[in-house]
Amino acid sequence: VTSTSDPLQRSEATTVSDDGSTIWGTSTISSGFETRVVRWNVGTLQAELISPIPDTEFVFVFDCSADGKYAVGNNRTTRGARPLYVTPSGPTLLPRLSGGGDALASGITPDGKTVVGYQAQESGVTPTIWRSGVGTEALPGLNARSIEGRPLQIAQNGTIA
């Protein structure tokens, strides 16, 4: 799998679909050192740079759905870090909890409909879940004061690691 024609571009693969057909990651464009989400199609060996969200300074992809259609990560803009959700129609920022600060999305269910991550709050870090059709919620019962309490992955049955 190749990058683009820019020899000064640096790309990094970070997650792969269950069948190995789609790879997600980031690519730093040499002109202006802009970081973008990139999706590679392994069958065609083509790289697709995803249009950035305005004011993006840095982006990182952590996980993708089983079929590789959806990806999640972190999108830092001039207004702080937000959880990133990329669909076939493009990237979007997931909403934060009320009163929250920087946040990121770290895991996605195989079907791409539920996302987990965490968000900075005045009281510490709050484990967070985003559900399609439900919205953003704090995850009860997890102690996120250390990295061990921060959700990183979610299975289709809802098991969180």
Side-chain angles (χ1 to χ4, degrees):
V1 178
T2 61
S3 189
T4 66
S5 59
D6 183 348
L8 300 177
Q9 182 173 341
R10 179 180 168 271
S11 297
E12 179 178 29
T14 54
T15 187
V16 63
S17 62
D18 284 359
D19 67 1
S21 66
T22 305
I23 299 171
W24 286 89
T26 57
S27 191
T28 302
I29 312 298
S30 63
S31 57
F33 301 100
E34 173 186 14
T35 304
R36 302 254 306 262
V37 172
V38 64
R39 175 176 38 217
W40 290 275
N41 179 312
V42 176
T44 63
L45 301 178
Q46 295 296 311
E48 174 190 3
L49 287 170
I50 307 299
S51 297
I53 297 209
D55 300 324
T56 294
E57 295 176 335
F58 175 80
V59 65
F60 194 84
V61 175
F62 290 103
D63 196 16
C64 71
S65 59
D67 60 9
K69 289 183 181 177
Y70 305 94
V72 295
N74 176 286
N75 194 93
R76 180 167 288 286
T77 68
T78 54
R79 296 173 308 282
R82 295 280 303 273
L84 177 69
Y85 181 63
V86 185
T87 70
S89 60
T92 187
L93 298 176
L94 295 171
R96 291 183 278 200
L97 296 169
S98 172
D102 288 352
L104 67 80
S106 54
I108 189 169
T109 52
D111 68 4
K113 294 182 180 177
T114 304
V115 175
V116 293
Y118 46 92
Q119 177 173 326
Q121 302 275 90
E122 284 188 25
S123 60
V125 176
T126 301
T128 309
I129 190 166
W130 295 268
R131 292 186 179 103
S132 178
V134 175
T136 306
E137 300 174 297
L139 279 169
L142 289 179
N143 176 0
R145 296 210 180 268
S146 67
I147 192 68
E148 292 82 12
R150 297 177 187 179
L152 300 177
Q153 296 289 312
I154 184 167
Q156 191 62 46
N157 68 2
T159 302
I160 296 172

